[in-house]
Amino acid sequence: MSILEIILLGAALSMDAVAVGMTNGMTQPKMRLPRAVETAGAFGLFQFFMPLAGYELGAAFAHYIVKIAPVFSFAILAFLGGKMIYECIKELVHRGKRSLAEKEKKNAALKLFVQALATSIDALAVGITLLALEASGTLALPALFASLVIGGVTFVLSLIAVLVGKKAGSLLADKAEILGGAVLVFIGLKIFLESI
């Protein structure tokens, strides 16, 4: 696998993180640049770590990882998306209570962790592929550096997506939370259906 192919692999693996990052930007149009960098950094870090974890787990668990990852990702993203939709509708019905932004701040770190985990689980299987390629001598970079490339590509693309999402969120106002939740559910469903 050449360096260009590793970069393209990183771009392909980052697409779920990019979509979720854009959703985060849409639902938080006033997000400051450090928070956008933190969001993209979380996605990039997980996309770096997961291939390494898959590489270390090796072929012994490959069969199980490939089977369980899509179901796990779907469950997490569907839950997060459904919760976002529910809270937005509840807020629209009960105006004047604690704002969505205040609630969002309270759970922001946990939510970002769960999103980054859910969008990077498929990279575990990629780590197993890296192990096989390295053993056959066809991997252009050691697995650690290949994972760094994957994480770096994810970081850059996710940051762009968050910033684009912020612009779209400003236009959508309070409907962005519903749209963002629907996007998360859709991404989870897509991951699940692609595995069938």
Side-chain angles (χ1 to χ4, degrees):
M1 179 180 279
S2 70
I3 295 172
L4 177 60
E5 289 171 326
I6 294 169
I7 292 170
L8 292 174
L9 176 63
L13 285 173
S14 74
M15 287 301 105
D16 293 334
V18 164
V20 174
M22 187 171 289
T23 299
N24 287 353
M26 284 176 16
T27 58
Q28 300 170 51
K30 294 182 181 176
M31 181 190 301
R32 296 190 184 275
L33 184 60
R35 177 73 177 139
V37 170
E38 179 183 310
T39 300
F43 291 126
L45 184 65
F46 270 80
Q47 289 288 11
F48 159 71
F49 175 73
M50 287 302 206
L52 284 180
Y55 178 86
E56 293 300 325
L57 289 173
F61 298 104
H63 180 70
Y64 301 108
I65 291 169
V66 170
K67 278 190 168 186
I68 203 168
V71 175
F72 190 61
S73 294
F74 168 68
I76 290 172
L77 292 173
F79 172 76
L80 286 174
K83 186 173 180 287
M84 284 173 67
I85 293 168
Y86 170 76
E87 286 180 356
C88 185
I89 292 172
K90 185 175 153 186
E91 180 66 26
L92 290 172
V93 170
H94 299 94
R95 290 263 185 212
K97 301 212 173 170
R98 197 170 60 153
S99 75
L100 231 59
E102 289 173 23
K103 293 176 192 173
E104 189 69 30
K105 282 182 189 174
K106 185 178 177 184
N107 298 318
L110 177 61
K111 179 182 172 185
L112 182 58
F113 172 83
V114 172
Q115 287 175 337
L117 175 66
T119 58
S120 66
I121 290 174
D122 55 345
L124 277 171
V126 169
I128 294 164
T129 302
L130 294 178
L131 176 65
L133 291 171
E134 191 174 77
S136 70
T138 58
L139 187 60
L141 297 171
L144 174 64
F145 294 114
S147 295
L148 274 171
V149 169
I150 292 168
V153 168
T154 300
F155 170 77
V156 170
L157 294 178
S158 295
L159 182 58
I160 292 168
V162 171
L163 297 175
V164 168
K166 281 180 48 172
K167 294 288 184 195
S170 297
L171 300 173
L172 294 170
D174 54 2
K175 312 283 185 302
E177 194 84 11
I178 292 173
L179 180 60
V183 168
L184 289 181
V185 172
F186 175 76
I187 292 168
L189 188 58
K190 179 186 80 69
I191 291 169
F192 177 71
L193 291 176
E194 286 174 351
S195 72
I196 296 176

